[in-house]
Amino acid sequence: MITPLKAWNELDYKGTENLIEHILSGGVHGLFILGTTGEGTNLSYELRHEFIQLACRQINGRVPVLVGITDTSLTESIKLSEHAAACGADAVVAAPPYYFTANQNELLSYYESLADKISLPLFLYNMPSHTKVSFEPETVKTLSEHSNITGFKDSSGDIIYFQKVTTLLKDAGDFSIFVGPEEILMHALLSRGHGGVNGGANLFPELYVAMYNAVMGKDFERMQILQKLILEISSNLYTIGDSPVKYLQGLKCALSVTGLCSDELTAPFEAFKGAEKEKVEKLLQNINIGEVLS
Amino acid sequence: MITPLKAWNELDYKGTENLIEHILSGGVHGLFILGTTGEGTNLSYELRHEFIQLACRQINGRVPVLVGITDTSLTESIKLSEHAAACGADAVVAAPPYYFTANQNELLSYYESLADKISLPLFLYNMPSHTKVSFEPETVKTLSEHSNITGFKDSSGDIIYFQKVTTLLKDAGDFSIFVGPEEILMHALLSRGHGGVNGGANLFPELYVAMYNAVMGKDFERMQILQKLILEISSNLYTIGDSPVKYLQGLKCALSVTGLCSDELTAPFEAFKGAEKEKVEKLLQNINIGEVLS
Amino acid sequence: MITPLKAWNELDYKGTENLIEHILSGGVHGLFILGTTGEGTNLSYELRHEFIQLACRQINGRVPVLVGITDTSLTESIKLSEHAAACGADAVVAAPPYYFTANQNELLSYYESLADKISLPLFLYNMPSHTKVSFEPETVKTLSEHSNITGFKDSSGDIIYFQKVTTLLKDAGDFSIFVGPEEILMHALLSRGHGGVNGGANLFPELYVAMYNAVMGKDFERMQILQKLILEISSNLYTIGDSPVKYLQGLKCALSVTGLCSDELTAPFEAFKGAEKEKVEKLLQNINIGEVLS
Amino acid sequence: MITPLKAWNELDYKGTENLIEHILSGGVHGLFILGTTGEGTNLSYELRHEFIQLACRQINGRVPVLVGITDTSLTESIKLSEHAAACGADAVVAAPPYYFTANQNELLSYYESLADKISLPLFLYNMPSHTKVSFEPETVKTLSEHSNITGFKDSSGDIIYFQKVTTLLKDAGDFSIFVGPEEILMHALLSRGHGGVNGGANLFPELYVAMYNAVMGKDFERMQILQKLILEISSNLYTIGDSPVKYLQGLKCALSVTGLCSDELTAPFEAFKGAEKEKVEKLLQNINIGEVLS
């Protein structure tokens, strides 16, 4: 879930409520806040704390809430986790510390230490393009044996890697393995993945739920139709402009155009204006999710 | 300056005092705290605030104090800067936000916004291996024209790049350009650089001061002798073990062996023990700075 | 297809015949020689010429033969192509020149020039890990419109990229799009890919043919069973030792153990011996392709 | 030395003679042909053989001739080396094979094998941006002990690395260590380097000879003046356009503008025309080497 903002340092309360209701109405099985798409690392701690409370209250137990606590300081991650627990969240998610990189032994030590010190279950989050380090499959396996580590989200975009992990953990009981990029949700679900945590689900939650159901139901024709739509959104909405966060700019702009919430981003990133916004508007007119899903 | 720690989340007060006195006695022209070597990003905000106060009090105006405020959240960088101002620091230093990368325009916007919002003068900090982005020389030039941006520290290790910056900014008045890696302090000073911010100066401050003086005095023989020593320290002390922070482990271990302060690191990194520590001890016995410098 | 060698600079004639018969008996739809797995770039031109002749004669029109002509010198690529034509090959395959990298315009110019100057149809070959450059999907599209450019092989391993290409070229008539890494053969076929050029097919050609048939037949259960086997081979056979070519060492060793051909590699790479070879032997005893495929 | 071409596959004989005389008149201590700047890998073998003969004949023993034999095929490197020996060249230079990368042990094996099989002395050539692999300093040291390996050229552009090599080989007798990028010729000479192999010396050979003499003579003032000029050339002449070979385009264009030789490049690269050529013309008018050097 993105974090709706009225300004770079100000939450959009009404937009948050709207967006949560919108996403839940799409039938998602859970909600992940303050992840990469949620710009967690770029928000002040005050806003992060506030947003956790706001989201948990609005969701109110209807689906599990996972909270991103990724931070370069272990202490701050622990604080965020305890706040999330107090607000009623169900689990926390942490990518590796991302200023200094850690080797695999240091990753083991970091996550074991974190999992020991917090009360909520912990998900590992693989995001090498942002953290400069990738979990080796063996590291995920070792950590999966910790009683308080319950899942893994992989946003590497690399299905070969993803399969190595799912193969190695095929006997890991109820350890959950999710995939990030929506472009490979289908492929990941066909490769022992348990689900997706997909940014596009802010906008069209029912689409990714439909893909999940299509793969579970082995409905090959439907998978192809849905995948076509998923790629159409991705290749058009996430490719406007030249910012490293153009994916997020496109997504937030689309949510704003549909009236769900504001389109502001955290500093130093800027919302689309003018020609870029018009492109998004046209795109949205051309995408007919309803027809496909009905 | 490193941050002396008694444990991963606890400052070493006495060690901090010792170390500051040791560094100042070496004749350095200023002190940079909470940078990369200072593990700034890995400390809790509470400890960062405390350390700023502690260091400023101990230095007490004897040399300028520069404070690292690098953060992924602009709000938190501003808060750190205001605290540093209140404690009497002279300037702040910020590397680019390092979870999301920014393009050059976004860097411009980020630094202009930051410089506008804080009271202390701001130094740019180029650290591409950690932040995944490098300032283009033109970006440094544009930012150097902001009245509250007063310098640039380059830790890229790339002398070709460094020269591009110094050449482009040759008429930039009193804008300061410093180099990070001590192995190229000599080369940077010979290429219009104004000084070095070198981790090794925690241990042997007089050595890097001597190199500065040798280059200023165009003393070629002495430069060669000092450089030999600088490389000897670097190639032996910073290369033990296989952690991405082995440089810091070696440095903190050496400071501990010489009795200046503790050797603990922030999570998830560990201090040297056993065989690694013995290596450092032997190394220190073999390095005779005094003989060379006298 | 690998290139069977008796020594780093000597072809294994008998092994070549054996291997070709073995692969063809597995039901493959074509054969690609002198590609990356064929160590084309590391063979002398004399051996490349000789091998083209040898392979074409042995295959004798039973399936189409594609010949790798990847080279840093355009002249040498053209010569190889004309020799391949003379020997009766059906098409040639060229990765971008790989010492200097070319930008997308230069790639366009390179491939248009090459396609104009040769008589055989040309396949583009994307192999960014070896050539340091990737075809942008738009570049593939533009080149697909050249009358003598008839296909694209993607060995990037990136299914997100692969889908961008197949989506952009969905109306490109009989332009063929193949995938390299066998670990994603299934995923690529499910994403509009037309086939695979998979190294593992040297050893178990029927396995990859079976996967092709399973996907074409929309047989989900069989896809899962075959994929399990494909990953088992990949994760065990291609991961022994620490050479950048361990994939090739494992493959050639397995072919040697099964008695099909020698295991020598081009300089500077060495065949497995001792413990590494024993690992391969044990692996082959544990893999029961026949049971799964029957 | 660049390779003067009348067309992408045709030597410029007269230009070659002119250019060799021009370079020798600048006082260089040797000539390196068919290196990266010489586009060796992109020329057909026929042209490489022809150019070796042409250059050796023209130089006629006045300075040592080093010939680039970098190739992905060991056999072809050996052939080039034997041809160079027959033409009277003094040594050969080989970068690592550059399609497959080799690990350090494989590099050792490759270079020992090559040095054993050729009659001319061999220089190692470090060019990681093109070959994807860098010699570890220990690998250079081990190879330096081979009786037929006599030097090392480092084009990494990394002075920290360069110093590691020169420090490790400080007792390696008459093993020669040269630096590639002219922007750090001064720095390399100040760090135990023995000389430079600089592309700019095609155009202004006397400038780089003057820098060599200035450093040898410990003439700081002159070093600074010459370095200013070297950087001016580099930052203006090598930065036009957006090709990965813009350095080479700028250099060949300048040689053509000054009337020394043609400006054609090997496929797929194109010579400057129009606005780009005009930029080069203006640049050359503004650079006054003579005034500085006199």
Side-chain angles (χ1 to χ4, degrees), chain A residues 191-257:
Chain A
S191 295
R192 300 177 189 267
H194 301 113
V197 184
N198 307 131
N202 284 278
L203 192 56
F204 300 121
E206 66 277 27
L207 175 58
Y208 307 90
V209 172
M211 176 59 93
Y212 178 83
N213 292 334
V215 179
M216 293 303 113
K218 297 171 188 171
D219 185 340
F220 190 87
E221 311 301 335
R222 193 157 171 80
M223 276 165 52
Q224 297 294 331
I225 292 165
L226 297 171
Q227 182 66 358
K228 196 173 158 241
L229 205 49
I230 287 172
L231 292 176
E232 198 181 324
I233 294 164
S234 157
S235 62
N236 290 296
L237 185 57
Y238 304 160
T239 55
I240 300 165
D242 63 357
S243 170
V245 299
K246 59 187 166 187
Y247 147 75
L248 202 47
Q249 287 171 320
L251 183 57
K252 281 198 151 181
C253 183
L255 292 169
S256 158
V257 166

Side-chain angles (χ1 to χ4, degrees), chain A residues 95-173:
Chain A
Y98 49 98
Y99 187 75
F100 294 106
T101 49
N103 64 26
Q104 298 297 312
N105 280 333
E106 289 160 348
L107 282 184
L108 283 177
S109 148
Y110 176 78
Y111 280 100
E112 283 166 357
S113 172
L114 179 57
D116 286 345
K117 290 180 203 304
I118 62 178
S119 52
L120 288 177
L122 174 63
F123 278 72
L124 314 175
Y125 184 6
N126 195 42
M127 185 39 126
S129 63
H130 289 58
T131 66
K132 298 165 291 181
V133 65
S134 186
F135 290 88
E136 285 180 13
E138 281 294 348
T139 302
V140 179
K141 181 144 194 274
T142 303
L143 289 172
S144 75
E145 288 155 15
H146 189 291
S147 61
N148 203 31
I149 299 181
T150 56
F152 176 66
K153 179 190 171 186
D154 176 34
S155 290
S156 69
D158 180 347
I159 276 286
I160 299 178
Y161 169 84
F162 188 83
Q163 291 183 99
K164 280 184 192 156
V165 174
T166 55
T167 301
L168 198 64
L169 277 89
K170 63 179 188 293
D171 302 319

Side-chain angles (χ1 to χ4, degrees), chain D residues 61-77:
Chain D
R62 287 178 285 174
V63 296
V65 181
L66 285 74
V67 177
I69 59 166
T70 301
D71 207 283
T72 43
S73 158
L74 180 57
T75 304
E76 303 298 342
S77 287

Side-chain angles (χ1 to χ4, degrees), chain A residues 218, chain C residues 214 218-228:
Chain A
K218 297 171 188 171
Chain C
K218 297 171 190 174
D219 185 340
F220 268 65
E221 311 302 334
R222 193 157 170 80
M223 276 165 53
Q224 298 295 330
I225 291 165
L226 297 170
Q227 183 65 358
K228 195 173 159 240

